[in-house]
């Protein structure tokens, strides 16, 4: 089955710096890679996703890159703000017919200091 | 439109007791999932369902059972609770790419 590894487990940056979180996956058939943000005491929510036919996707200050050959993908946050402080999860999924299993990484706690 | 709703939000159980967590979604989603979230271990899949009447095991199914008798509901049961099942439980549902999560259930087994 799919295995998703995520690094680092914690990341501290100063406001305005960039933050990068990296994930690797094991199943070469995985073709959908979302990122979820979980604020303290709240539910995870989708912030950005990428499909395997795309190498990079941007949405304002966040971007995701995918390297299918190396089976890794990364989340990039530029100009970080204190409200970016949260736990971020990457995930991988196969868009097969029949079933869809969403496997998450272990999470990265991002702390942005003013 | 409530989205995904979990019941209860908090619960304390004694070792050996049983309970059922309810997940209800009003988005007509086909797929539903139960995850547990523990510090440093992310979201681990317990069981999932690809449609009414179907269920399958995830990564950590031992000690849990599930049922999906109605499309909108996915029940997670603990027959004999153990302290190792102390966790925050999240339900999620989806049909398209995005998974929608419930607000979580914080379960403590003493």
């Amino acid at each position: 089955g799919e295995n998703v590894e995520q690094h680092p487990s914690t990341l501290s940056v100063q406001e305005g710096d960039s933050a990068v979180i990296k994930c690797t996956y094991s199943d070469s058939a995985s073709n959908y890679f979302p990122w979820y943000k979980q604020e303290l005491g709240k539910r995870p929510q989708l912030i950005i996703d990428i499909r395997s036919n795309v190498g990079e996707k941007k949405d304002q200050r966040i971007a995701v890159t995918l390297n299918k050959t190396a089976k890794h993908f990364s989340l990039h946050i530029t100009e970080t703000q204190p409200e970016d402080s949260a736990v971020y999860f990457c995930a991988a999924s196969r868009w097969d017919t029949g079933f869809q299993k969403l496997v998450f990484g272990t999470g990265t706690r991002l702390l942005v200091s003013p | 439109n409530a989205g995904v709703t979990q019941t209860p939000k908090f619960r304390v159980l004694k070792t050996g007791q049983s309970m059922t967590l309810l997940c209800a979604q009003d988005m007509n989603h086909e797929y539903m999932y139960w995850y547990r979230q523990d510090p440093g271990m992310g979201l681990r899949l317990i069981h999932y369902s690809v449609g009414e009447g179907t269920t399958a095991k995830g990564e950590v199914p031992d000690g849990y059972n599930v049922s999906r008798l109605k499309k909108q509901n996915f029940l997670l049961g603990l027959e004999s609770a153990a302290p190792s099942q102390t966790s925050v439980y999240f339900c999620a549902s989806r049909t398209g790419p995005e998974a929608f999560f419930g607000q979580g259930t914080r379960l403590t087994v003493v």
Side-chain angles (χ1 to χ4, degrees):
Chain A
E2 176 66 274
N3 182 50
V4 179
E5 295 188 356
Q6 182 172 347
H7 301 279
S9 57
T10 58
L11 180 59
S12 294
V13 299
Q14 293 290 318
E15 183 176 359
D17 288 349
S18 295
V20 180
I21 302 170
K22 299 181 179 181
C23 289
T24 60
Y25 61 98
S26 61
D27 187 351
S28 57
S30 288
N31 51 16
Y32 173 68
F33 307 93
W35 286 87
Y36 285 77
K37 176 182 180 182
Q38 184 181 29
E39 297 178 350
L40 188 63
K42 296 191 176 181
R43 69 191 79 190
Q45 291 191 301
L46 181 70
I47 55 170
I48 195 168
D49 56 13
I50 192 167
R51 297 180 189 244
S52 60
N53 58 346
V54 175
E56 182 177 2
K57 183 177 178 181
K58 286 185 178 180
D59 183 4
Q60 299 184 334
R61 295 186 298 106
I62 62 174
V64 58
T65 58
L66 171 65
N67 183 326
K68 286 174 56 180
T69 303
K71 290 191 283 188
H72 66 71
F73 56 112
S74 300
L75 178 72
H76 304 254
I77 306 174
T78 59
E79 301 174 19
T80 54
Q81 302 168 2
E83 51 264 39
D84 294 329
S85 295
V87 177
Y88 292 81
F89 292 98
C90 61
S93 181
R94 291 177 57 169
W95 204 256
D96 290 325
T97 57
F99 71 91
Q100 299 174 32
K101 207 171 173 182
L102 189 59
V103 179
F104 286 86
T106 50
T108 296
R109 183 174 300 278
L110 174 64
L111 177 61
V112 181
S113 303
Chain B
N1 189 338
V4 182
T5 303
Q6 291 181 230
T7 309
K9 293 183 174 60
F10 303 94
R11 185 73 185 268
V12 178
L13 280 181
K14 292 183 179 179
T15 298
Q17 285 185 321
S18 64
M19 76 163 295
T20 300
L21 283 68
L22 170 63
C23 176
Q25 52 95 4
D26 60 3
M27 296 174 283
N28 201 35
H29 285 169
E30 292 293 332
Y31 302 92
M32 296 187 75
Y33 307 82
W34 276 108
Y35 291 90
R36 60 178 289 173
Q37 183 175 26
D38 302 292
M41 304 190 79
L43 291 159
R44 292 185 292 168
L45 182 64
I46 305 171
H47 286 280
Y48 63 101
S49 168
V50 299
E52 182 178 319
T54 71
T55 63
K57 294 180 180 179
E59 303 168 83
V60 288
D62 293 344
Y64 306 94
N65 57 75
V66 288
S67 65
R68 185 132 179 242
L69 299 179
K70 294 183 179 180
K71 186 177 183 179
Q72 64 268 35
N73 295 338
F74 195 28
L75 279 65
L76 178 71
L78 286 74
E79 290 186 349
S80 180
S84 60
Q85 294 178 304
T86 293
S87 187
V88 178
Y89 292 85
F90 282 98
C91 172
S93 71
R94 65 197 282 216
T95 290
E98 182 175 358
F100 294 86
F101 284 82
Q103 78 277 28
T105 296
R106 183 172 295 277
L107 175 66
T108 302
V109 183
V110 297

